[in-house]
Amino acid sequence: MRRRQLDIATQADFIRSFTDAGTVDNATYGVPSLASTPRLFYNKELFRRAGVDGAPTSWDGLRAAAEALKGIGVKTPYGLQFGPEAADDEALSWLLAAGGGCTGELSGYDFATSANIEALTWLRDELVAGGLAGPAPAELNRTAAYAQFLRGEIGVLIAHPVLMGAADRAKVPYAHAAFPRKNGGAAAPLGLSDWLMAFKRDGHSKECGAFLAFLYSGKSALTYDGGQSALPVTYSASDAARARSAGRPLWPFIDQLADAQFAPVNMRSWPAVRGVIRTDVGQAVLKGGDPAAVLKSLDESAAKADRDAATA
């Protein structure tokens, strides 16, 4: 996206964490159009029956809640979504909560870190091994997990705001909270975005700029919170949503946006690396799984993907 198509006021209004994710070498290649960030959803009635008082605030609390849910017969106490549909999102939420992630402090992929190994080892030993993540977490996709939550078969899971509308229609008594860090407190939230992209071509720069300024204006942005499924990507739209009582269900999600952390979507090799994560990361947490070996393999696959991208 050429910056001259966007006026300075519009550029400055984008939530910084989201514009950074669409930037490569200080050039903006995509501007966010719709945003999302997940939270920890739980079934309040199942929690009440299990004697769990409110949302877990640490991993130990999450495990204790899952054990209590298992005790009352909940099929999948925690919905660990490590199936191939969106395992990268679920995994990154856990890695961030342990202080890890997909990349190192400087640049490039760095999966086989102590924090990442700790996160996947905890999942293997504390949730999956005890049957607290259901019968087949490496096959559980996001769509199926949401459907099971709506049927009362999952007690707690990471989910995006789109689940709220479906839960309201299904009359599921739910609440949500920030996903916890391992030892307590709110973890850095995962950020997701759809992007508007344009490619260099002569003509109509002024018209494009006018359209984008209108698209991201306050009045247009008020439509973002209508379906409880997507979040605004500008500060002004966030303020507008918070000023409307109809937008109240989205307020906790909006409040997370500024701190959102992203997968390395601005790396050319990311689509290939994401595909490997989706097929492989679930194996790390199964019985006999080796988190360190899986993460080392991800580093090797990422290095190859980088080489392939560089020569493409």
Side-chain angles (χ1 to χ4, degrees), residues 5 31 66 118 161 218 220:
Q5 293 179 342
V31 293
E118 179 183 18
S220 299

Side-chain angles (χ1 to χ4, degrees), residues 54-68:
T57 57
S58 68
W59 290 9
D60 284 345
L62 182 56
R63 181 191 59 215
E67 289 173 340

